[in-house]
Amino acid sequence: MGRFSKKRILAAPWFQRTAGNLVAEYIRLVWKTGRFVLEPENIYERIGREQPIIAAMWHGQHMLIPFVRRDPLRAKVLISRHRDGEINAIIAERLGLETIRGSGDHGTDFHRKGAVPAFMAMLAALKNNYNIGLTADVPKVSRVVGRGIIMLARESGRPIFPVGIATRHRIELNNWDRSCINLPFSRGALVIGEPISVPGDADDAAMEGARAALAAALDAVTARANALAGRAPDEARRG
């Protein structure tokens, strides 16, 4: 295809902007036409008292995460520097979120892929009363909590709130993070769990305990959101 290769098209700013805006409006349609329940109903009163907070979710389950934020709460989300991240950043910003660019870590390569600058930017945002949203598992390692989010809670002193969002009708992709494409006109649920705090003097054992607690909490809120949305765990992967 020469200079009109697929790779070049996907990397072109005009394509990324167009795709990001279209996807953002699709996500808005899903939210506006959905019938969502919130559990617990008074969670935003608590978040308002405890903010700034760290909102955590699993990879692949974050399509509707921009609508977790409610005015007047301010929020920034961590988005990777990968090409796909450019589109995700456009989507997030169009839906009212600010972005921090960088990647998570696997615990052994924290210095790579912009992890340190992103970590420092998230710390600064929390100090400036921004809530932070990010996926708890790191790229290519689905459903395993990375060390970065636990470090962020320890260094900032801010609580982690596990978040689960699901819709009854959706398409689940057969990729590494089991990405969900939520569909319009569907029953849905937003579930936010009890906060997890990490003491400032937490040692390695305490950090590992917090990782395990967050993983269990994310599994629980995800399962609960699916149940409230009317989605059985063993249903077919499409529809």
Side-chain angles (χ1 to χ4, degrees):
M1 294 180 62
R3 65 190 181 92
F4 296 109
S5 68
K6 178 181 178 181
K7 186 174 181 180
R8 287 193 176 187
I9 292 174
L10 293 176
W14 66 265
F15 175 84
Q16 293 175 341
R17 176 65 58 182
T18 300
N21 289 339
L22 288 173
V23 173
E25 293 311 309
Y26 173 78
I27 294 172
R28 197 189 308 275
L29 174 68
V30 171
W31 183 259
K32 286 185 174 295
T33 61
R35 304 178 303 280
F36 286 86
V37 296
L38 173 66
E39 185 177 281
E41 292 183 357
N42 65 344
I43 188 61
Y44 283 101
E45 296 175 16
R46 182 168 187 178
I47 290 175
R49 294 193 301 268
E50 298 196 27
Q51 70 169 317
I53 68 159
I54 302 166
M57 67 228 66
W58 285 135
H59 260 100
Q61 309 297 309
H62 57 278
M63 176 175 151
L64 295 171
I65 203 64
F67 295 100
V68 173
R69 185 195 70 84
R70 292 188 177 180
D71 291 333
L73 301 179
R74 301 190 301 169
K76 294 188 179 186
V77 291
L78 178 65
I79 295 178
S80 77
R81 294 178 174 179
H82 188 268
R83 180 181 64 236
D84 294 341
E86 295 295 332
I87 295 176
N88 289 334
I90 292 167
I91 294 168
E93 290 166 1
R94 187 173 180 91
L95 295 176
L97 297 174
E98 297 182 46
T99 60
I100 294 172
R101 303 305 300 274
S103 297
D105 76 288
H106 296 264
T108 58
D109 57 353
F110 188 67
H111 63 289
R112 300 175 62 193
K113 298 182 181 179
V116 170
F119 184 85
M120 299 307 296
M122 287 189 290
L123 275 180
L126 288 164
K127 289 180 181 179
N128 286 319
N129 208 39
Y130 276 91
N131 301 288
I132 292 292
L134 71 161
T135 49
D137 45 349
V138 294
K140 307 304 180 183
V141 188
S142 178
R143 307 301 190 268
V144 176
V145 172
R147 192 174 178 85
I149 190 170
I150 305 301
M151 291 174 61
L152 182 63
R154 183 184 68 180
E155 297 304 313
S156 67
R158 307 314 307 159
I160 304 172
F161 279 78
V163 177
I165 308 177
T167 54
R168 171 67 179 83
H169 299 297
R170 65 177 183 253
I171 298 171
E172 295 183 11
L173 303 182
N174 188 26
N175 56 3
W176 72 269
D177 64 359
R178 296 175 253 171
S179 297
C180 287
I181 301 176
N182 304 100
L183 300 176
F185 305 101
S186 180
R187 181 178 172 185
L190 166 60
V191 178
I192 302 178
E194 288 295 310
I196 295 171
S197 296
V198 182
D201 60 354
D203 58 13
D204 284 344
M207 297 277 282
E208 287 304 308
R211 285 212 307 172
L214 180 56
L218 284 168
D219 284 342
V221 295
T222 299
R224 180 59 177 163
N226 279 321
L228 289 173
R231 181 85 176 192
D234 58 349
E235 283 195 65
R237 295 184 64 82
R238 298 182 68 87

